[in-house]
Amino acid sequence: MRKNIPAVVLTIAILILWQIVAVVINAAYILPSPTQIIAKIWELRANLFLVQLPATMSVTFLGLLISIVFGVGLSVIMDLNKKIADAVYPIIIASQTIPTTAIAPLFVLWFGYSIWARVLVTILITFFPITITVYDGFRSTKREMEELLLTYGAGKKDVFLKLKVPTALPYFFSAIKMAIPLSVIGAAIAEWLGAQSGLGYFSKRMMTQLDGAAVFAPIVILSLCAMVSVAIVGIIEDKCVKWRNDI
């Protein structure tokens, strides 16, 4: 808990400064105060938490799950076959040069306003960090450790499961913690550009009404969801990678 005190103090200081600036500006449609945003969340709680939030979270977690499965799978294949890695790596890098705001409307044209148009945007954003980070985790295995296991009669399967997987495990959790905020951003962007439900869609609709507090309310909820999810992953990481805490 002590290590979180500086972050808590800084967050409180930022909120106080934000409140003061918002009061001075006195234009909620430009910069609503934190208290106005909290009041708006409470006012719209039924719609936000029972309708819009489930729509966004379903897109977020489905896209993240698919990215994890395919990202980890591809990183394993790349580690096992260097030729595939040399061929695929540039393509993965190139996929991140595609502007999300440009391709998201195309997904809407192809798949309509279904959930898959938004899921594909989320996958496009989260697939890269998971694949590359886990692949780097496999490559970080020390060569002398591999040679030692082979000397003791271990096969390639044993080297992979008993050496490479434990080595890459911290990288995997780091990738997940990076991908969670990105998946939230991807879902919100997809909903902003083409959807009929979700917090991103709701924020866009409120912007047309010049309701600044209602525009910020979904953003605050998404941020809190991302932080809670990352914290949960961190707890799971501590349970699964106990040996790193003893170093």
Side-chain angles (χ1 to χ4, degrees), residues 26 109 117 145 164 188 235 244:
N26 194 26
L109 288 176
M145 295 296 292
K164 288 197 169 185
I235 294 172
R244 189 172 66 174

Side-chain angles (χ1 to χ4, degrees), residues 106-175:
L106 292 178
F107 290 153
V108 175
L109 288 176
W110 297 340
F111 299 97
Y113 288 105
S114 68
I115 189 176
W116 293 109
R118 289 166 280 166
V119 168
L120 284 174
V121 175
T122 305
I123 294 173
L124 182 65
I125 294 178
T126 57
F127 182 77
F128 170 79
I130 294 175
T131 305
I132 298 303
T133 305
V134 176
Y135 175 60
D136 287 342
F138 289 135
R139 293 180 62 193
S140 68
T141 304
K142 294 182 179 180
R143 182 61 184 172
E144 55 267 26
M145 295 296 292
E146 294 185 43
E147 294 174 351
L148 180 62
L149 286 179
L150 293 174
T151 301
Y152 286 146
K156 289 186 176 180
K157 180 180 179 181
D158 295 320
V159 172
F160 181 79
L161 294 177
K162 297 181 180 180
L163 180 61
K164 288 197 169 185
V165 170
T167 302
L169 199 57
Y171 290 80
F172 169 76
F173 282 109
S174 296

Side-chain angles (χ1 to χ4, degrees), residues 44-58 118 191 196-199 201-202 205:
L44 302 174
R45 61 189 182 280
N47 187 15
L48 289 174
F49 289 102
L50 299 181
V51 179
Q52 310 303 340
L53 181 60
T56 301
M57 288 298 100
S58 61
R118 289 166 280 166
E191 291 169 350
Q196 294 179 324
S197 62
L199 292 173
Y201 162 79
F202 181 84
R205 194 180 69 183

Side-chain angles (χ1 to χ4, degrees), residues 20 28 56 102 110 159 175 198 210 220 229:
I20 294 173
T56 301
W110 297 340
V159 172
L210 298 179
V220 171
S229 299

Side-chain angles (χ1 to χ4, degrees), residues 63-64 67 95-96 98-101 103-104 107 118-131 175 178-190:
L64 186 60
S67 292
S95 68
Q96 299 306 295
I98 302 174
T100 305
T101 54
I103 198 169
F107 290 153
R118 289 166 280 166
V119 168
L120 284 174
V121 175
T122 305
I123 294 173
L124 182 65
I125 294 178
T126 57
F127 182 77
F128 170 79
I130 294 175
T131 305
M178 286 190 295
I180 287 175
L182 292 175
S183 65
V184 172
I185 294 172
I189 291 175

Side-chain angles (χ1 to χ4, degrees), residues 43-93:
E43 177 186 342
L44 302 174
R45 61 189 182 280
N47 187 15
L48 289 174
F49 289 102
L50 299 181
V51 179
Q52 310 303 340
L53 181 60
T56 301
M57 288 298 100
S58 61
V59 172
T60 299
F61 288 114
L62 183 57
L64 186 60
L65 178 61
I66 294 174
S67 292
I68 291 173
V69 172
F70 283 96
V72 173
L74 182 58
S75 65
V76 171
I77 295 173
M78 291 168 63
D79 178 69
L80 296 176
N81 193 313
K82 191 175 185 303
K83 291 184 178 180
I84 294 179
D86 293 338
V88 173
Y89 198 95
I91 297 176
I92 298 175
I93 299 296

Side-chain angles (χ1 to χ4, degrees), residues 41 48-49 53 199 216-226:
I41 292 175
L48 289 174
F49 289 102
L53 181 60
L199 292 173
F216 274 82
I219 299 174
V220 171
I221 294 173
L222 288 175
S223 298
L224 291 175
C225 289

